[in-house]
């Protein structure tokens, strides 16, 4: 084989409930992941030694050394199948998912690298086995392999596919002029919670309670009613992201005023996500949002879509 290319989607969190910090520095989550049609492509080719080239959206901000999540995933896969002739590879990542935008682009690339090398090396690992390896690389890698809509627990790596009708949801993503660091946003949430006023009415964030799945969101997803789903979107990291990136408040308000059924910050931000009633409304919203000057650029996507998959092998 001379090369394998895998395609992998970005993720949204339709609910992101965050518990108190754990002893290992992570936070227990309950989240509803949703894979959307914004894809990176990862190609692996046999080479003299491992290496990486990154092209496309934000390529200059992706580490091109052993810190790269795709290369780390490949190392972990190699260690898991030591007897399969896991020769060196050159990895080429074509990015469309913006970097440090709350859309799990780095985790997506790790997932695609796992799928592609599994094929190139004929390693024969199953999706659950790849998910187990992926979870050691990042909290969102397992979901990038699974795709669709799924409930995540633990750090986000314990997944249960959500039973939902085949509804396609139409989203508009508003990309911000800047990035947020995921650890910094979690730390900001911990600080906001620690400084919470006694009167809940004056508090911008909820208490650091054990996270719970939102039954109203799950029920809305089961009906496939975009209006109801839009009302139930929630993200405990949103206030923390807005505290570090105040311009997001204006973007969220603009999207709602322009007719979005719901709005929230994507993961740890700073991308803002808007739900539209259908593809036409999404187009109108995307045009109006870019005209409003409240973001760097916009993209229309739909979901759910499948997780990382091989698209060509030669
Ligand atoms: O797992 P991943 O490398 O994507 O996580 C990046 C950072 O996000 C962690 O180092 C941690 O600070 C924060 N995080 C967290 N709790 C989670 C997931 C991520 O605190 N469940």
């Amino acid at each position: 084989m001379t090369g394998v290319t895998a395609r992998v989607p970005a993720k949204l969190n339709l609910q992101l409930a965050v518990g108190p910090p754990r002893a290992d520095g992570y936070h227990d989550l309950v989240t509803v992941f949703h894979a959307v049609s914004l894809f990176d492509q990862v190609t692996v080719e046999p080479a003299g030694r491992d290496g990486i080239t990154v092209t496309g959206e934000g390529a200059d901000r992706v580490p091109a050394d052993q810190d790269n999540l795709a290369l780390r995933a490949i190392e972990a896969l190699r260690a898991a199948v030591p007897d399969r002739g896991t020769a060196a590879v050159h990895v080429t990542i074509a990015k469309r998912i913006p970097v440090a935008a709350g859309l799990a682009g780095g985790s997506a690339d790790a997932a695609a690298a796992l799928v592609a090398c599994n094929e190139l090396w004929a390693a024969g690992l199953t999706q659950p086995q790849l998910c187990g390896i992926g979870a050691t690389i990042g909290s969102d890698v397992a979901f990038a392999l699974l795709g669709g809509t799924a409930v995540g627990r633990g750090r986000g790596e314990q997944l249960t596919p959500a039973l939902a009708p085949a509804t396609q949801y139409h989203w508009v993503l508003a990309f911000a002029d800047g990035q947020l660091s995921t650890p910094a946003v979690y730390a900001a949430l911990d600080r906001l919670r620690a400084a919470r006023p006694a009167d809940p009415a004056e508090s911008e964030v909820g208490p650091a309670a054990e996270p719970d799945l939102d039954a109203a969101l799950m029920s809305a997803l089961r009906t496939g009613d975009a209006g109801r789903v839009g009302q139930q979107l929630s993200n405990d990291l949103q206030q923390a992201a807005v505290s570090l990136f105040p311009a997001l408040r204006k973007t969220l308000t603009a999207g709602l005023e322009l007719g979005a059924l719901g709005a929230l910050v994507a993961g740890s931000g700073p991308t803002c996500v808007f739900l539209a009633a259908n593809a036409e409304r999404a187009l109108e919203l995307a045009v109006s949002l870019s005209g409003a000057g409240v973001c760097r650029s916009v993209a229309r996507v739909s979901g759910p879509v499948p997780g990382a998959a091989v698209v060509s092998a030669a």
Side-chain angles (χ1 to χ4, degrees):
M1 229 180 237
T2 56
V4 177
T5 298
R7 187 176 90 145
V8 62
K11 64 84 191 156
L12 307 180
N13 304 82
L14 308 187
Q15 181 194 3
L16 181 48
V18 180
R22 311 192 308 202
D24 65 1
Y26 283 89
H27 297 69
D28 273 326
L29 306 178
V30 172
T31 187
V32 178
F33 284 117
H34 182 72
V36 292
S37 60
L38 178 68
F39 299 100
D40 279 0
Q41 282 213 353
V42 176
T43 300
V44 295
E45 294 159 300
R49 61 188 176 89
D50 282 353
I52 188 157
T53 308
V54 187
T55 64
E57 169 82 34
D60 53 331
R61 290 188 299 275
V62 178
D65 55 18
Q66 285 302 325
D67 282 345
N68 184 281
L69 292 186
L71 284 182
R72 285 177 44 203
I74 289 169
E75 274 300 320
L77 176 59
R78 195 176 268 138
V81 290
D83 53 345
R84 294 294 166 91
T86 51
V89 287
H90 190 84
V91 183
T92 305
I93 303 179
K95 288 210 68 66
R96 287 187 55 221
I97 307 173
V99 178
L103 300 166
S107 292
D109 299 341
L114 287 175
V115 165
C117 282
N118 192 41
E119 179 84 11
L120 182 73
W121 296 334
L125 294 195
T126 62
Q127 188 184 75
Q129 287 171 319
L130 293 178
C131 284
I133 295 170
T136 66
I137 304 301
S139 305
D140 296 328
V141 180
F143 177 71
L145 289 159
L146 187 67
T149 304
V151 177
R153 297 176 191 276
R155 286 188 295 127
E157 82 289 10
Q158 299 162 23
L159 297 171
T160 318
L163 292 175
T167 313
Q168 279 288 304
Y169 296 95
H170 299 273
W171 306 93
V172 176
L173 308 181
F175 301 129
D177 214 350
Q179 285 99 41
L180 281 173
S181 134
T182 302
V185 176
Y186 275 97
L189 175 64
D190 294 339
R191 280 198 306 275
L192 286 173
R193 283 175 165 171
R196 235 178 135 248
D199 180 355
E202 287 176 18
S203 180
E204 286 184 14
V205 293
E210 280 312 309
D212 226 349
L213 185 61
D214 181 351
L217 172 64
M218 295 312 284
S219 152
L221 286 169
R222 274 192 295 273
T223 63
D225 178 336
R228 283 182 59 196
V229 171
Q231 281 168 15
Q232 300 303 331
L233 302 171
S234 69
N235 179 359
D236 282 358
L237 291 178
Q238 180 155 315
Q239 282 308 327
V242 170
S243 75
L244 297 174
F245 204 130
L248 298 184
R249 206 184 298 275
K250 206 169 154 194
T251 312
L252 292 166
T253 306
L256 288 170
E257 283 173 0
L258 290 167
L261 300 175
L264 88 175
V265 167
S268 55
T271 304
C272 291
V273 180
F274 303 97
L275 181 57
N278 53 43
E280 251 184 326
R281 290 277 113 78
L283 177 58
E284 287 165 14
L285 181 58
V287 170
S288 323
L289 265 175
S290 44
V294 290
C295 55
R296 173 173 60 85
S297 62
V298 298
R300 279 178 301 133
V301 298
S302 62
V305 297
V310 170
V311 289
S312 71

